[in-house]
Amino acid sequence: MKAHDGMYIDGAWRPVAGGDVIDVVNPADEQVIGQVPAGTALDVDNAVRSARAALAGWAATPPAERAARLAALRDGLVARAEEIAETVTAELGAPLKLSQTVHVGAPIAVAGSYADLAATYAFEERVGNSTVFQEPVGVVAAITPWNYPLHQIVAKVAPALAAGCTVVLKPAEDTPLTAQLFAEAVHEAGVPAGVFNLVTGLGPVAGQALAEHPDVDLVSFTGSTAVGRQIAAIAGAGIKKVALELGGKSANVILPSADLARAVNVGVANVMSNSGQTCSAWTRMLVHRDQYEEAVELARTAAAKYGDRIGPLVNARQQERVRGYIHKGVAEGARLVAGGPEAPRERGYYVSPTVFADVTPDMTIAQEEIFGPVLSILRYEDEEDALRIANGTVYGLAGAVWAGDEAEAVAFARRMETGQVDINGGRFNPLAPFGGYKQSGVGRELGHHGLAEYLQTKSLQF
């Protein structure tokens, strides 16, 4: 795969201000597969200036035309689907089938949904003697993570463009090649010069410069809660709008009436998908005391099937971080029933699918986001105890509830302090709002709720 040695700014690949580069490493074999420029504050400034200059024209473009450009972008992603999937596999380490279905298939669906929304959204309404307009917020800084590189780009860029905003994208330094392919698709879709811009670089340099830039109106960031706090502080100094999708420690609550085997097997699969590198993963499985040991054995058996089916973690730092959490779980008294901290392969940043039993709510592995293939199984006494445990973290991003009666599951889910709950294995919905309570973030992505993040309101009285 060929990497661009410039930045996509003002409709073309431009030379960079500095000469530093970032190596892109395949986490499966630790080999360098490409290099991209390490953007500087000057590169960021050039990109933001381009976005600012293009804003008035794009904001005035009729929604139907914006929808047409988004539809062309979706079609371009479809045409490049195999190349993008292979690139995600190379730079993230995800198995190719997962890259094809989840890493590429899902964001294509999201891009299509915003093409439809741009054409149908009510940007204007009458309220009494007023006309209320929804207008683009302005220049958007989109700072995206590595764990779902294309999905997170599309979930930010597509609604921003649909709203009439212009964008500067700063992707994660571990997965910039996917972002470059996205930029090529944007260019081929006929999006006007300056409306979309791409700057590759390190977070503390390019990311910070982007968040601080006085001509940026909104910062949309997905990543850790710790970095989210920094972004919010920087944006707050300029009274910028922020959309933050941050960490999670989601609970998978299995009520006694549920199909235990199905709930456990789906729960294990959820945690192991993408090697556990999913902010919304159900990393805490809550089981009634009378079914606890049966659930532990089911989880142990299920986890054993994933030994050769999951990819590596994204880099050596992440591998060591996850192994450190596994060591801490053992040290704090959790019972290791599958996996462990030992690296299962000589090369690559792999961690074995790991399951802990006898986890108590106060343990580190039950409170902190691990971001690896590690499941903690907790015992509860009754429904109120389960609710206390489920809500007993600083996070509130996602979750699941299983019960024999759907109404029973819904009643429990309504009391969970979290942004999205799957009932008895409910399917992913690209139109449903995604985002968190508490320290899991501010704002929502996907569907019309995601589009609204990129709009501001004006009313005219007659």
Side-chain angles (χ1 to χ4, degrees):
M1 60 197 66
K2 182 181 184 300
H4 289 278
D5 58 4
M7 308 289 187
Y8 185 76
I9 297 174
D10 199 26
W13 294 96
R14 310 287 181 180
V16 296
D20 291 342
V21 296
I22 298 170
D23 288 338
V24 183
V25 176
N26 185 329
D29 60 15
E30 305 178 38
Q31 298 299 302
V32 175
I33 57 174
Q35 292 181 326
V36 297
T40 66
L42 181 56
D43 296 310
V44 168
D45 184 60
N46 289 337
V48 174
R49 287 175 181 273
S50 172
R52 177 59 64 183
L55 178 61
W58 185 245
T61 299
E65 176 58 23
R66 299 202 296 260
R69 295 308 100 215
L70 285 167
L73 172 59
R74 175 203 57 209
D75 294 345
L77 295 175
V78 170
R80 292 172 173 272
E82 195 60 31
E83 181 184 10
I84 297 173
E86 291 172 355
T87 301
V88 171
T89 291
E91 62 182 355
L92 178 63
L96 184 58
K97 184 177 180 181
L98 183 70
S99 293
Q100 292 167 330
T101 56
V102 174
H103 286 285
V104 178
I108 285 173
V110 171
S113 75
Y114 280 113
D116 294 339
L117 267 173
T120 60
Y121 192 82
F123 290 98
E124 178 181 334
E125 65 174 333
R126 287 290 293 177
V127 179
N129 67 308
S130 302
T131 299
V132 179
F133 298 93
Q134 298 296 320
E135 300 180 337
V137 72
V139 175
V140 172
I143 304 175
T144 58
W146 45 261
N147 60 324
Y148 288 91
L150 183 62
H151 173 73
Q152 293 292 346
I153 290 170
V154 171
K156 296 181 188 305
V157 175
L161 298 186
C165 297
T166 57
V167 180
V168 179
L169 169 66
K170 206 298 285 184
E173 52 263 35
D174 291 290
T175 54
L177 303 181
T178 298
Q180 289 191 341
L181 291 175
F182 178 82
E184 292 177 0
V186 169
H187 185 83
E188 293 171 2
V191 174
V195 171
F196 170 83
N197 306 272
L198 169 67
V199 175
T200 54
L202 301 176
V205 180
Q208 182 168 336
L210 190 52
E212 290 176 340
H213 201 289
D215 266 341
V216 165
D217 300 295
L218 181 152
V219 183
S220 180
F221 169 78
T222 296
S224 71
T225 297
V227 177
R229 289 192 189 97
Q230 297 173 11
I231 295 286
I234 292 169
I239 318 297
K240 303 178 192 295
K241 187 176 181 181
V242 295
L244 305 173
E245 197 265 279
L246 307 176
K249 195 68 185 175
S250 301
N252 179 18
V253 182
I254 305 175
L255 297 176
S257 63
D259 180 336
L260 184 65
R262 179 167 180 258
V264 170
N265 281 304
V266 174
V268 170
N270 176 277
V271 172
M272 301 308 163
S273 178
N274 210 42
S275 303
Q277 299 171 129
T278 304
C279 53
S280 58
W282 310 332
T283 51
R284 295 181 298 144
M285 181 180 289
L286 279 56
V287 184
H288 189 270
R289 63 181 180 181
D290 293 342
Q291 299 172 314
Y292 188 79
E293 289 303 331
E294 182 182 358
V296 168
E297 180 57 26
L298 286 167
R300 184 195 67 77
T301 302
K305 301 174 183 177
Y306 288 89
D308 296 322
R309 291 167 55 185
I310 65 173
L313 301 184
V314 71
N315 55 40
R317 182 177 65 258
Q318 186 67 14
Q319 181 192 41
E320 285 308 303
R321 180 176 185 272
V322 173
R323 292 173 68 185
Y325 273 110
I326 297 173
H327 280 297
K328 186 164 287 190
V330 173
E332 292 184 359
R335 173 167 43 119
L336 189 64
V337 297
E342 294 77 19
R345 305 188 191 186
E346 291 185 5
R347 293 186 65 80
Y349 308 126
Y350 291 88
V351 170
S352 296
T354 298
V355 176
F356 279 107
D358 299 338
V359 178
T360 58
D362 60 328
M363 289 182 178
T364 302
I365 59 172
Q367 288 293 321
E368 297 184 10
E369 185 176 45
I370 298 173
F371 229 59
V374 181
L375 170 66
S376 297
I377 309 180
L378 295 89
R379 181 187 288 106
Y380 68 84
E381 297 295 317
D382 55 27
E383 189 170 302
E384 292 304 313
D385 189 37
L387 185 68
R388 177 185 62 83
I389 295 170
N391 290 339
T393 76
V394 298
Y395 297 112
L397 186 57
V401 182
W402 302 79
D405 177 58
E406 185 177 285
E408 179 187 8
V410 170
F412 188 95
R414 289 293 302 270
R415 297 200 290 162
M416 293 174 72
E417 297 169 351
T418 190
Q420 191 171 83
V421 184
D422 293 345
I423 302 298
N424 289 336
R427 294 181 295 108
F428 170 71
N429 179 2
L431 298 178
F434 180 76
Y437 286 25
K438 301 188 283 188
Q439 293 187 27
S440 285
V442 177
R444 292 295 181 268
E445 293 185 328
L446 306 181
H448 69 87
H449 295 275
L451 177 58
E453 294 292 332
Y454 299 92
L455 296 167
Q456 56 189 349
T457 304
K458 175 186 291 178
S459 64
L460 303 182
Q461 284 61 248
F462 296 89

Short mmCIF file of all heavy atoms in Angstrom, two decimals, residues 418-462:
data_model
loop_
_atom_site.label_atom_id
_atom_site.label_comp_id
_atom_site.label_asym_id
_atom_site.label_seq_id
_atom_site.Cartn_x
_atom_site.Cartn_y
_atom_site.Cartn_z
N THR A 418 -26.76 4.81 31.41
CA THR A 418 -25.91 4.59 30.25
C THR A 418 -26.64 5.02 28.98
O THR A 418 -27.87 5.08 28.96
CB THR A 418 -25.49 3.11 30.16
OG1 THR A 418 -24.48 2.93 29.18
CG2 THR A 418 -26.67 2.20 29.85
N GLY A 419 -25.87 5.33 27.94
CA GLY A 419 -26.45 5.93 26.75
C GLY A 419 -27.11 4.98 25.78
O GLY A 419 -27.97 5.38 25.00
N GLN A 420 -26.72 3.72 25.80
CA GLN A 420 -27.28 2.76 24.84
C GLN A 420 -27.29 1.38 25.47
O GLN A 420 -26.28 0.95 26.04
CB GLN A 420 -26.45 2.75 23.55
CG GLN A 420 -27.10 1.99 22.41
CD GLN A 420 -26.36 2.18 21.10
OE1 GLN A 420 -25.38 1.50 20.85
NE2 GLN A 420 -26.82 3.10 20.25
N VAL A 421 -28.41 0.67 25.37
CA VAL A 421 -28.55 -0.66 25.95
C VAL A 421 -29.13 -1.60 24.90
O VAL A 421 -30.14 -1.29 24.27
CB VAL A 421 -29.45 -0.66 27.20
CG1 VAL A 421 -29.48 -2.05 27.83
CG2 VAL A 421 -28.98 0.38 28.22
N ASP A 422 -28.50 -2.76 24.73
CA ASP A 422 -29.02 -3.79 23.83
C ASP A 422 -29.88 -4.75 24.63
O ASP A 422 -29.44 -5.28 25.66
CB ASP A 422 -27.87 -4.54 23.16
CG ASP A 422 -27.08 -3.66 22.21
OD1 ASP A 422 -27.57 -2.58 21.86
OD2 ASP A 422 -25.96 -4.06 21.84
N ILE A 423 -31.09 -5.01 24.17
CA ILE A 423 -32.02 -5.90 24.84
C ILE A 423 -32.00 -7.26 24.16
O ILE A 423 -32.29 -7.37 22.96
CB ILE A 423 -33.45 -5.31 24.80
CG1 ILE A 423 -33.49 -3.92 25.45
CG2 ILE A 423 -34.43 -6.27 25.49
CD1 ILE A 423 -33.11 -3.89 26.90
N ASN A 424 -31.62 -8.29 24.92
CA ASN A 424 -31.59 -9.66 24.41
C ASN A 424 -30.85 -9.76 23.07
O ASN A 424 -31.30 -10.43 22.14
CB ASN A 424 -33.01 -10.22 24.28
CG ASN A 424 -33.64 -10.50 25.64
OD1 ASN A 424 -32.94 -10.72 26.63
ND2 ASN A 424 -34.96 -10.50 25.69
N GLY A 425 -29.73 -9.07 22.98
CA GLY A 425 -28.89 -9.16 21.79
C GLY A 425 -29.35 -8.32 20.63
O GLY A 425 -29.10 -8.65 19.46
N GLY A 426 -29.99 -7.18 20.90
CA GLY A 426 -30.47 -6.30 19.84
C GLY A 426 -29.36 -5.90 18.87
O GLY A 426 -28.22 -5.69 19.26
N ARG A 427 -29.71 -5.78 17.59
CA ARG A 427 -28.74 -5.51 16.53
C ARG A 427 -28.30 -4.04 16.52
O ARG A 427 -29.04 -3.15 16.93
CB ARG A 427 -29.31 -5.88 15.16
CG ARG A 427 -29.58 -7.36 14.97
CD ARG A 427 -30.12 -7.66 13.58
NE ARG A 427 -31.44 -7.07 13.38
CZ ARG A 427 -31.68 -6.02 12.60
NH1 ARG A 427 -30.68 -5.41 11.96
NH2 ARG A 427 -32.89 -5.55 12.45
N PHE A 428 -27.12 -3.81 15.98
CA PHE A 428 -26.61 -2.45 15.77
C PHE A 428 -27.54 -1.69 14.84
O PHE A 428 -27.97 -2.20 13.82
CB PHE A 428 -25.21 -2.52 15.17
CG PHE A 428 -24.68 -1.18 14.69
CD1 PHE A 428 -24.30 -0.21 15.60
CD2 PHE A 428 -24.57 -0.90 13.33
CE1 PHE A 428 -23.82 1.02 15.16
CE2 PHE A 428 -24.08 0.31 12.88
CZ PHE A 428 -23.70 1.28 13.81
N ASN A 429 -27.85 -0.46 15.22
CA ASN A 429 -28.71 0.40 14.41
C ASN A 429 -27.94 1.67 14.07
O ASN A 429 -27.67 2.50 14.95
CB ASN A 429 -29.99 0.74 15.18
CG ASN A 429 -30.92 1.66 14.40
OD1 ASN A 429 -30.64 2.02 13.26
ND2 ASN A 429 -32.03 2.04 15.02
N PRO A 430 -27.57 1.88 12.80
CA PRO A 430 -26.78 3.05 12.44
C PRO A 430 -27.53 4.37 12.56
O PRO A 430 -26.93 5.43 12.44
CB PRO A 430 -26.40 2.78 10.98
CG PRO A 430 -27.46 1.87 10.47
CD PRO A 430 -27.84 1.01 11.64
N LEU A 431 -28.85 4.33 12.81
CA LEU A 431 -29.63 5.55 12.98
C LEU A 431 -29.87 5.89 14.45
O LEU A 431 -30.37 6.98 14.75
CB LEU A 431 -30.98 5.41 12.27
CG LEU A 431 -30.91 5.21 10.76
CD1 LEU A 431 -32.32 5.05 10.19
CD2 LEU A 431 -30.19 6.36 10.08
N ALA A 432 -29.52 4.98 15.35
CA ALA A 432 -29.76 5.21 16.78
C ALA A 432 -28.64 6.07 17.36
O ALA A 432 -27.47 5.88 17.02
CB ALA A 432 -29.84 3.89 17.52
N PRO A 433 -28.96 7.01 18.25
CA PRO A 433 -27.92 7.85 18.83
C PRO A 433 -26.96 7.04 19.69
O PRO A 433 -27.38 6.16 20.44
CB PRO A 433 -28.70 8.85 19.68
CG PRO A 433 -30.01 8.18 19.97
CD PRO A 433 -30.30 7.35 18.76
N PHE A 434 -25.67 7.36 19.58
CA PHE A 434 -24.64 6.67 20.35
C PHE A 434 -23.83 7.70 21.12
O PHE A 434 -23.34 8.68 20.56
CB PHE A 434 -23.71 5.89 19.42
CG PHE A 434 -22.61 5.17 20.16
CD1 PHE A 434 -22.87 4.00 20.86
CD2 PHE A 434 -21.32 5.67 20.16
CE1 PHE A 434 -21.87 3.34 21.55
CE2 PHE A 434 -20.30 5.01 20.84
CZ PHE A 434 -20.57 3.85 21.54
N GLY A 435 -23.70 7.50 22.42
CA GLY A 435 -22.95 8.41 23.27
C GLY A 435 -23.23 8.09 24.72
O GLY A 435 -24.06 7.23 25.03
N GLY A 436 -22.53 8.77 25.63
CA GLY A 436 -22.55 8.32 27.00
C GLY A 436 -23.09 9.27 28.03
O GLY A 436 -23.23 10.47 27.81
N TYR A 437 -23.37 8.69 29.20
CA TYR A 437 -23.66 9.42 30.43
C TYR A 437 -22.33 9.60 31.18
O TYR A 437 -21.32 8.99 30.88
CB TYR A 437 -24.60 8.62 31.33
CG TYR A 437 -26.04 8.53 30.91
CD1 TYR A 437 -26.44 8.67 29.59
CD2 TYR A 437 -27.02 8.28 31.86
CE1 TYR A 437 -27.77 8.57 29.22
CE2 TYR A 437 -28.36 8.18 31.50
CZ TYR A 437 -28.74 8.33 30.19
OH TYR A 437 -30.05 8.23 29.83
N LYS A 438 -22.38 10.43 32.20
CA LYS A 438 -21.25 10.61 33.14
C LYS A 438 -19.94 10.87 32.39
O LYS A 438 -19.90 11.70 31.47
CB LYS A 438 -21.17 9.42 34.09
CG LYS A 438 -22.47 9.21 34.90
CD LYS A 438 -22.36 8.17 35.97
CE LYS A 438 -22.40 6.76 35.47
NZ LYS A 438 -22.48 5.75 36.54
N GLN A 439 -18.87 10.19 32.76
CA GLN A 439 -17.57 10.46 32.15
C GLN A 439 -17.35 9.73 30.83
O GLN A 439 -16.23 9.71 30.31
CB GLN A 439 -16.45 10.13 33.14
CG GLN A 439 -16.43 11.06 34.34
CD GLN A 439 -15.24 10.87 35.24
OE1 GLN A 439 -14.17 10.42 34.82
NE2 GLN A 439 -15.41 11.20 36.52
N SER A 440 -18.41 9.18 30.27
CA SER A 440 -18.32 8.58 28.94
C SER A 440 -18.51 9.59 27.82
O SER A 440 -18.42 9.23 26.65
CB SER A 440 -19.32 7.43 28.79
OG SER A 440 -18.88 6.29 29.49
N GLY A 441 -18.78 10.85 28.18
CA GLY A 441 -18.77 11.84 27.12
C GLY A 441 -19.90 12.83 27.13
O GLY A 441 -20.75 12.85 28.02
N VAL A 442 -19.90 13.66 26.08
CA VAL A 442 -20.88 14.73 25.88
C VAL A 442 -21.31 14.69 24.43
O VAL A 442 -20.48 14.69 23.52
CB VAL A 442 -20.27 16.10 26.19
CG1 VAL A 442 -21.27 17.21 25.91
CG2 VAL A 442 -19.77 16.17 27.62
N GLY A 443 -22.62 14.64 24.18
CA GLY A 443 -23.11 14.64 22.82
C GLY A 443 -23.42 13.25 22.31
O GLY A 443 -23.21 12.25 23.00
N ARG A 444 -23.90 13.18 21.09
CA ARG A 444 -24.29 11.92 20.48
C ARG A 444 -23.78 11.85 19.04
O ARG A 444 -23.61 12.86 18.36
CB ARG A 444 -25.81 11.75 20.48
CG ARG A 444 -26.42 11.57 21.88
CD ARG A 444 -25.96 10.29 22.52
NE ARG A 444 -26.52 10.06 23.84
CZ ARG A 444 -25.96 10.43 24.99
NH1 ARG A 444 -24.80 11.10 24.96
NH2 ARG A 444 -26.52 10.16 26.15
N GLU A 445 -23.56 10.63 18.58
CA GLU A 445 -23.20 10.38 17.19
C GLU A 445 -24.27 9.49 16.57
O GLU A 445 -25.02 8.81 17.26
CB GLU A 445 -21.84 9.70 17.09
CG GLU A 445 -20.68 10.60 17.52
CD GLU A 445 -19.31 9.97 17.30
OE1 GLU A 445 -19.21 8.73 17.39
OE2 GLU A 445 -18.36 10.72 17.03
N LEU A 446 -24.34 9.52 15.22
CA LEU A 446 -25.22 8.69 14.39
C LEU A 446 -26.65 9.23 14.35
O LEU A 446 -27.14 9.83 15.30
CB LEU A 446 -25.22 7.23 14.85
CG LEU A 446 -23.84 6.55 14.94
CD1 LEU A 446 -23.99 5.09 15.37
CD2 LEU A 446 -23.07 6.65 13.63
N GLY A 447 -27.27 9.03 13.20
CA GLY A 447 -28.64 9.42 13.01
C GLY A 447 -28.85 10.93 13.10
O GLY A 447 -27.91 11.71 13.04
N HIS A 448 -30.10 11.34 13.27
CA HIS A 448 -30.38 12.78 13.29
C HIS A 448 -29.86 13.43 14.56
O HIS A 448 -29.55 14.63 14.58
CB HIS A 448 -31.88 13.05 13.09
CG HIS A 448 -32.76 12.64 14.22
ND1 HIS A 448 -33.02 13.46 15.28
CD2 HIS A 448 -33.45 11.49 14.43
CE1 HIS A 448 -33.85 12.84 16.12
NE2 HIS A 448 -34.11 11.65 15.63
N HIS A 449 -29.70 12.65 15.64
CA HIS A 449 -29.09 13.20 16.85
C HIS A 449 -27.63 13.56 16.59
O HIS A 449 -27.14 14.58 17.09
CB HIS A 449 -29.19 12.19 18.00
CG HIS A 449 -30.59 11.91 18.44
ND1 HIS A 449 -31.26 12.69 19.34
CD2 HIS A 449 -31.44 10.91 18.09
CE1 HIS A 449 -32.47 12.21 19.54
NE2 HIS A 449 -32.61 11.12 18.79
N GLY A 450 -26.94 12.73 15.81
CA GLY A 450 -25.56 13.04 15.46
C GLY A 450 -25.45 14.25 14.55
O GLY A 450 -24.52 15.06 14.68
N LEU A 451 -26.39 14.40 13.64
CA LEU A 451 -26.40 15.58 12.76
C LEU A 451 -26.59 16.86 13.57
O LEU A 451 -25.96 17.89 13.32
CB LEU A 451 -27.49 15.43 11.71
CG LEU A 451 -27.72 16.60 10.74
CD1 LEU A 451 -26.44 16.92 9.97
CD2 LEU A 451 -28.85 16.27 9.79
N ALA A 452 -27.46 16.79 14.59
CA ALA A 452 -27.76 17.97 15.39
C ALA A 452 -26.54 18.52 16.12
O ALA A 452 -26.49 19.72 16.43
CB ALA A 452 -28.86 17.64 16.40
N GLU A 453 -25.55 17.68 16.39
CA GLU A 453 -24.34 18.15 17.08
C GLU A 453 -23.61 19.21 16.26
O GLU A 453 -22.89 20.04 16.81
CB GLU A 453 -23.39 16.99 17.37
CG GLU A 453 -23.92 15.97 18.35
CD GLU A 453 -24.05 16.50 19.76
OE1 GLU A 453 -23.29 17.43 20.12
OE2 GLU A 453 -24.91 15.99 20.50
N TYR A 454 -23.78 19.19 14.96
CA TYR A 454 -23.03 20.08 14.06
C TYR A 454 -23.85 21.28 13.61
O TYR A 454 -23.48 21.97 12.68
CB TYR A 454 -22.52 19.28 12.86
CG TYR A 454 -21.58 18.18 13.29
CD1 TYR A 454 -22.05 16.90 13.57
CD2 TYR A 454 -20.23 18.44 13.47
CE1 TYR A 454 -21.20 15.90 14.01
CE2 TYR A 454 -19.36 17.44 13.91
CZ TYR A 454 -19.86 16.18 14.18
OH TYR A 454 -19.02 15.19 14.63
N LEU A 455 -24.98 21.51 14.29
CA LEU A 455 -25.87 22.61 13.94
C LEU A 455 -26.03 23.58 15.10
O LEU A 455 -25.86 23.20 16.27
CB LEU A 455 -27.25 22.07 13.55
CG LEU A 455 -27.31 21.19 12.31
CD1 LEU A 455 -28.66 20.48 12.23
CD2 LEU A 455 -27.05 22.01 11.05
N GLN A 456 -26.31 24.82 14.78
CA GLN A 456 -26.68 25.81 15.79
C GLN A 456 -28.00 26.46 15.36
O GLN A 456 -28.36 26.43 14.18
CB GLN A 456 -25.59 26.84 15.96
CG GLN A 456 -25.16 27.58 14.72
CD GLN A 456 -23.92 28.41 14.97
OE1 GLN A 456 -23.49 28.61 16.10
NE2 GLN A 456 -23.31 28.91 13.90
N THR A 457 -28.70 27.03 16.31
CA THR A 457 -30.08 27.45 16.09
C THR A 457 -30.21 28.97 16.03
O THR A 457 -29.65 29.68 16.85
CB THR A 457 -30.98 26.89 17.21
OG1 THR A 457 -30.83 25.48 17.25
CG2 THR A 457 -32.43 27.26 16.96
N LYS A 458 -30.95 29.44 15.05
CA LYS A 458 -31.27 30.86 14.91
C LYS A 458 -32.78 31.00 14.72
O LYS A 458 -33.39 30.24 13.98
CB LYS A 458 -30.55 31.45 13.71
CG LYS A 458 -30.90 32.91 13.41
CD LYS A 458 -30.26 33.37 12.12
CE LYS A 458 -28.75 33.48 12.28
NZ LYS A 458 -28.09 33.88 11.00
N SER A 459 -33.35 31.98 15.40
CA SER A 459 -34.80 32.22 15.21
C SER A 459 -35.04 33.64 14.75
O SER A 459 -34.38 34.58 15.20
CB SER A 459 -35.57 31.96 16.50
OG SER A 459 -35.20 32.87 17.51
N LEU A 460 -36.00 33.79 13.83
CA LEU A 460 -36.43 35.10 13.33
C LEU A 460 -37.91 35.28 13.71
O LEU A 460 -38.74 34.42 13.43
CB LEU A 460 -36.29 35.20 11.81
CG LEU A 460 -34.90 34.94 11.21
CD1 LEU A 460 -34.95 35.13 9.71
CD2 LEU A 460 -33.86 35.85 11.85
N GLN A 461 -38.22 36.42 14.34
CA GLN A 461 -39.58 36.70 14.78
C GLN A 461 -40.28 37.66 13.80
O GLN A 461 -39.67 38.65 13.39
CB GLN A 461 -39.59 37.30 16.19
CG GLN A 461 -39.33 36.29 17.30
CD GLN A 461 -37.98 35.62 17.19
OE1 GLN A 461 -37.93 34.42 16.92
NE2 GLN A 461 -36.89 36.36 17.36
N PHE A 462 -41.53 37.36 13.46
CA PHE A 462 -42.28 38.18 12.51
C PHE A 462 -43.52 38.75 13.19
O PHE A 462 -44.10 38.13 14.08
CB PHE A 462 -42.70 37.33 11.31
CG PHE A 462 -41.52 36.82 10.51
CD1 PHE A 462 -40.92 35.61 10.83
CD2 PHE A 462 -41.01 37.56 9.44
CE1 PHE A 462 -39.84 35.15 10.10
CE2 PHE A 462 -39.94 37.09 8.71
CZ PHE A 462 -39.35 35.88 9.04
#
